[in-house]
Amino acid sequence: MLCIPITADTNEKALQDVQETSQLADVIEIRLDYIANPDLEMLLRHRPKPIIATCRPTREGGRFDGPEEVRIKLLEQAVELGAEFVDIEHDSIQQLHKRGKAKVIISYHNFKETPANLKEIYARLSDSTANIVKIVTTANDITDNLKVFRLLEEVGARHAVPLHGNGKPLIAFCMGELGLISRILAPKYGSYLTFGSLDVGKESAPGQLTAREMLGVYHVDKINQETALYGLIGNPVGHSLGPYIHNAAFRELGINAVYLPFKVENLREFVQGFKGLKVQGYSVTIPHKEAIVPLLDGLDPLAREIGAVNTVVNKAGNLMGYNTDSTAALRELEEGLGDLRNKKVLLIGAGGAARAIAFGLKKKGADVTLINRTEDRARRLAQELGCHYRRFEDVTKIDGEVLINTTSVGMYPKTDVSPVPPEALRPGMWVFDIVYNPLQTCLLREAEERGCRTLDGLRMFLYQAAQQFELWTGRPAPLELMERVIREKLKTK
Ligand code: ATR
């Protein structure tokens, strides 16, 4: 069930927000600590959905800093007025005497970390007179989410029967950007509720997505125990369009799966830790395309030759690496330029994407020169692939017919920079930027101004994602839908 918290600071605004949630929420949480003088009677009289009354004190991350008796009284008043749920902090439950028919949620918040003893905390909270337990912690690493999933599974949250003994229903997830996946997957592991905000800026806790995104992008209302997991490994991942296109494609084909953004700092720990979740497939992006290679169980011949992976498929527990960047980039280049044989290509960058594209170009017979901020990396890659390399300072002196940017320079949010000075761009030259967010990068704008022909990152992104989707599902990707989603998203950014 999806709960939308109301964080307005006046009764009138709160009432308006309560009405607005009615299409999206299963449950509405009224945060009484945000409202100066809450008019409970009015707020509860007009409720379109069951209500949780919460009045969080500052010590538990809320805004109420008045006397404890006043706070408890407010909650008891909500109970008397028929609120379906009342949330009370673990250290205050003794003081709540009036309960009426309300189900009591006993809550624990940890704004510092996700402690190792979650099961102990659950046992302690469960051993109270409450009906439902809520444990919310902070994720400092993506693997912290695993502790919460384990807890939900261990306590059998999915099967716990409300109002019966110790196996009390559990609401559990992690806060913060790194906890986002636990909010989306809460229904898969049996959390009684998950939370989404009414709008951007109306969040009641760090890392809360909007309810519209929870439902419209991640289809949280359709997630269940059987939902298969896919996701993007990268850092950062917040800007990625992957979740929009892959989730839309799963929906279109009626596949019960969800695609998540995994912001990964420690790749080895992540790959090991997440094996237990049986993630069916990954996309891999900056900066992990090469680093993931030794952590996999096997490689497709093309990925092995390239030495970089942007797609992982879980084949009966074995993580197999593929590369769809190379084919996708070459397809876009050939659609624009035709035959690539003997074309003089100047390629900026020496990372995983550069490796895949340079490899593909060499195979097509192009004459490739690498240029990179870190010259040594360009030299090593050039030696490996049998192409040329030059110092970065020489970028304006090279006579290329095609210039390709494979770095992340110019990508959202730092969109006003180009990887090369404008003098490197000559009239008639083809300029291809693999950055797709934004579609018109600073590099492409300057290239057009100087009379170059340009290719943006859309088709490469689309083709690599489509091939990836086909490797995961064995079904043709809905290419038109995927393109529409990308264009729509880029327009609204
Ligand atoms: P990926 O595997 O996705 O290609 P990567 O291996 O981290 O990611 O490579 C990123 C590429 O972008 C590298 O060529 C990097 O240059 P360095 O080798 O010097 O690090 C390049 N890059 C990233 N940020 C850059 C910047 N601000 N200026 C110039 N080049 C940059």
Side-chain angles (χ1 to χ4, degrees):
M1 288 198 293
L2 180 63
C3 176
I4 300 186
I6 303 297
T7 57
D9 58 1
T10 67
N11 288 299
E12 292 66 34
K13 282 195 259 173
L15 187 62
Q16 204 180 335
D17 283 357
V18 164
Q19 300 307 318
E20 250 187 69
T21 60
S22 66
Q23 298 298 313
L24 301 166
D26 301 303
V27 179
I28 301 166
E29 179 186 42
I30 301 191
R31 286 291 299 260
L32 300 168
D33 51 312
Y34 279 67
I35 309 173
N37 286 303
D39 182 345
L40 273 169
E41 224 173 317
M42 177 180 86
L43 291 171
L44 266 81
R45 195 180 330 125
H46 297 289
R47 64 182 188 270
K49 293 285 166 71
I51 290 283
I52 304 176
T54 303
C55 189
R56 192 83 64 226
T58 44
R59 65 167 195 280
E60 281 277 303
R63 298 205 172 168
F64 188 90
D65 58 1
E68 192 68 355
E69 314 85 74
V70 176
R71 196 172 76 82
I72 301 294
K73 216 158 167 192
L74 259 176
L75 294 175
E76 291 187 334
Q77 197 194 342
V79 166
E80 280 171 347
L81 288 166
E84 286 78 4
F85 301 90
V86 60
D87 178 311
I88 183 89
E89 297 67 25
H90 60 107
D91 52 358
S92 312
I93 191 162
Q94 312 275 19
Q95 294 154 50
L96 186 79
H97 299 300
K98 292 187 194 152
R99 295 175 163 212
K101 288 192 188 131
K103 287 181 186 159
V104 176
I105 301 171
I106 183 169
S107 61
Y108 163 93
H109 293 82
N110 188 326
F111 286 88
K112 271 218 303 270
E113 56 172 357
T114 302
N117 63 338
L118 290 181
K119 209 169 164 192
E120 236 174 87
I121 296 170
Y122 172 78
R124 185 158 44 82
L125 302 195
S126 203
D127 200 21
S128 67
T129 53
N131 307 105
I132 298 164
V133 175
K134 181 179 181 189
I135 297 177
V136 181
T137 61
T138 298
N140 295 317
D141 187 87
I142 187 102
T143 51
D144 280 336
N145 293 284
L146 297 173
K147 298 182 198 164
V148 166
F149 298 153
R150 212 170 298 132
L151 174 72
L152 281 161
E153 287 193 321
E154 277 179 13
V155 306
R158 172 172 302 286
H159 307 292
V161 185
L163 312 178
H164 280 282
N166 259 349
K168 285 178 182 166
L170 172 62
I171 301 167
F173 52 84
C174 294
M175 294 182 285
E177 189 193 359
L178 290 162
L180 186 127
I181 63 163
S182 67
R183 293 181 179 276
I184 299 169
L185 295 183
K188 178 173 168 73
Y189 296 103
S191 176
Y192 188 72
L193 281 182
T194 187
F195 290 73
S197 72
L198 183 57
D199 225 327
V200 175
K202 293 189 176 178
E203 300 83 5
S204 63
Q208 214 168 65
L209 278 174
T210 63
R212 280 189 181 80
E213 228 173 327
M214 295 277 272
L215 295 167
V217 179
Y218 296 100
H219 311 291
V220 166
D221 54 333
K222 306 281 187 308
I223 292 181
N224 55 31
Q225 211 170 353
E226 279 75 45
T227 302
L229 303 181
Y230 293 86
L232 167 70
I233 300 177
N235 189 10
V237 288
H239 68 282
S240 172
L241 298 189
Y244 299 100
I245 54 170
H246 286 302
N247 285 316
F250 285 139
R251 278 287 284 158
E252 172 89 356
L253 270 61
I255 297 171
N256 183 6
V258 63
Y259 181 97
L260 304 155
F262 296 116
K263 183 177 173 187
V264 175
E265 274 153 19
N266 187 329
L267 187 62
R268 179 176 293 275
E269 245 173 57
F270 172 85
V271 171
Q272 281 301 328
F274 275 65
K275 273 202 169 145
L277 290 196
K278 302 190 175 63
V279 179
Q280 290 305 300
Y282 292 113
S283 313
V284 187
T285 190
I286 291 178
H288 299 310
K289 284 181 180 175
E290 290 167 274
I292 200 160
V293 169
L295 304 176
L296 299 174
D297 301 306
L299 289 179
D300 164 75
L302 178 66
R304 183 186 305 282
E305 269 189 292
I306 295 171
V309 159
N310 77 322
T311 306
V312 176
V313 183
N314 183 337
K315 294 199 165 170
N318 291 316
L319 296 181
M320 307 299 292
Y322 293 80
N323 193 303
T324 68
D325 276 339
S326 182
T327 325
L330 269 288
R331 184 171 160 191
E332 175 165 2
L333 277 166
E334 284 179 332
E335 280 172 3
L337 283 78
D339 192 2
L340 296 167
R341 181 165 298 280
N342 298 326
K343 283 269 186 313
K344 283 190 181 153
V345 181
L346 182 55
L347 196 138
I348 317 297
R355 193 176 262 280
I357 297 173
F359 177 87
L361 283 166
K362 281 294 294 175
K363 271 208 152 168
K364 296 279 176 185
D367 178 7
V368 182
T369 302
L370 300 182
I371 290 242
N372 191 45
R373 175 178 63 180
T374 311
E375 189 182 320
D376 193 44
R377 230 177 144 189
R379 183 176 53 75
R380 271 183 284 134
L381 185 60
Q383 275 168 358
E384 226 181 288
L385 298 179
C387 43
H388 319 284
Y389 80 96
R390 295 279 294 267
R391 297 168 37 203
F392 199 89
E393 294 73 39
D394 292 343
V395 70
T396 53
K397 298 184 199 143
I398 303 165
D399 183 24
E401 299 166 88
V402 186
L403 182 141
I404 304 175
N405 172 44
T406 72
T407 76
S408 52
V409 179
M411 185 166 83
Y412 178 86
K414 258 190 100 185
T415 55
D416 57 348
V417 282
S418 166
V420 295
E423 304 80 65
L425 308 166
R426 316 225 168 128
M429 196 182 213
W430 277 96
V431 178
F432 172 30
D433 198 339
I434 73 163
V435 171
Y436 64 85
N437 187 7
L439 278 181
Q440 206 202 35
T441 56
C442 181
L443 169 67
L444 293 188
R445 205 173 43 250
E446 288 178 352
E448 273 169 25
E449 282 164 12
R450 295 195 140 238
C452 305
R453 290 169 290 183
T454 59
L455 292 170
D456 64 35
L458 187 134
R459 303 214 79 76
M460 174 177 166
F461 177 63
L462 180 65
Y463 296 151
Q464 64 78 31
Q467 199 189 335
Q468 179 162 93
F469 186 88
E470 288 167 6
L471 282 166
W472 292 334
T473 64
R475 297 173 59 179
L479 211 59
E480 272 171 36
L481 168 83
M482 288 168 120
E483 178 165 355
R484 202 166 59 238
V485 172
I486 299 172
R487 289 198 187 278
E488 260 163 38
K489 265 332 281 178
L490 290 176
K491 239 189 298 170
T492 58
K493 273 207 174 229

